[in-house]
Amino acid sequence: MEIDMKKVIVTLMVTLMTLMFNGSAIAGVTSLRGDSDLTDGADKYPMRKQVISQGGVDRSYKIQPPMIPHKIDKEKINLKINTCMKCHSEKTYKQKKAPKAGDSHYVSRDGKVLDTVSSRRYFCNQCHAPQLNADPIVNNQFEGAK
Ligand code: HEC
Ligand code: HEC
């Protein structure tokens, strides 16, 4: 009985090792980082240009966070600054002719209305996304509810 178990384990290990070392030879399978060797760096992804959409982007459903119709590659959001608020804050939006971040953005989780943007809404790009001219990674039939 004991010998049989050992045999089984050894056979399994040999099979596993063979699979591991021949893994790269499996036809048609390429890792996401391309065909580069393990010790090489990954190929650089081409940076796509962010798209400017005149007049904004239609929302697909009522309470969707609107898409960002301008570039944001120069904006910074960190512990110290949030450059989005240079234009979208209560104080600046009129002068910058930008829409003010919604009133919902100034409410704490306990329903208190705050003077500054709520920490729940501080990381704008958690919900608002800029646009790129890119094909969908997976085709889909999504249609917005208007
Ligand atoms: C230099 C000023 C400026 C800065 C900085 C800025 N925006 Fe804007 N944003 C605008 C203006 C102006 C509009 C109105 C549409 C347009 O003309 O592009 C706008 C539109 C938007 C909209 C669309 C609102 C709607 O109802 O469709 C979103 C969302 C938005 N910005 C988010 C952001 C986020 C997030 C950042 C930071 C990463 C940011 N903006 C930084 C000026 C700015
Ligand atoms: C947790 C998700 C979330 C985060 C984070 C967030 N937003 Fe929004 N935003 C929304 C939703 C949802 C709406 C649409 C409904 C509303 O106005 O509350 C919206 C609406 C807006 C609008 C359009 C307001 C209007 O009257 O049309 C602007 C501009 C905007 N957000 C800017 C910002 C900026 C700037 C930040 C960062 C300081 C930010 N948002 C962070 C979810 C978010």
Side-chain angles (χ1 to χ4, degrees):
M1 188 65 192
E2 203 177 298
I3 293 164
D4 275 354
M5 267 322 273
K6 268 189 188 157
K7 261 191 184 166
V8 169
I9 289 170
V10 169
T11 318
L12 269 176
M13 279 177 72
V14 169
T15 317
L16 259 176
M17 304 265 268
T18 319
L19 274 177
M20 274 164 72
F21 289 111
N22 289 340
S24 53
I26 298 173
V29 179
T30 321
S31 92
L32 278 180
R33 55 193 294 281
D35 269 336
S36 19
D37 210 63
L38 259 190
T39 48
D40 293 341
D43 294 341
K44 267 199 177 156
Y45 277 96
M47 289 292 281
R48 285 179 193 270
K49 273 194 169 167
Q50 293 180 354
V51 172
I52 299 175
S53 324
Q54 291 296 339
V57 183
D58 284 345
R59 296 187 203 195
S60 300
Y61 53 94
K62 220 174 165 187
I63 51 160
Q64 183 203 325
M67 298 293 186
I68 305 172
H70 53 71
K71 294 184 180 180
I72 59 161
D73 38 5
K74 303 259 157 59
E75 307 307 332
K76 279 206 179 86
I77 306 176
N78 60 37
L79 200 58
K80 294 196 179 112
I81 52 168
N82 179 328
T83 58
C84 308
M85 294 309 266
K86 278 190 190 163
C87 299
H88 289 288
S89 77
E90 181 91 41
K91 277 189 197 143
T92 53
Y93 81 99
K94 277 193 190 137
Q95 196 212 337
K96 299 287 186 182
K97 296 194 173 69
K100 181 169 79 80
D103 291 341
S104 60
H105 295 46
Y106 289 85
V107 182
S108 76
R109 68 172 176 184
D110 315 310
K112 239 180 94 185
V113 178
L114 311 166
D115 291 335
T116 51
V117 80
S118 165
S119 50
R120 298 192 301 167
R121 298 289 175 113
Y122 187 78
F123 295 99
C124 317
N125 49 1
Q126 192 184 332
C127 302
H128 299 286
Q131 299 299 289
L132 304 175
N133 246 337
D135 292 328
I137 295 172
V138 177
N139 278 322
N140 65 81
Q141 275 123 38
F142 176 77
E143 274 180 41
K146 293 233 171 126

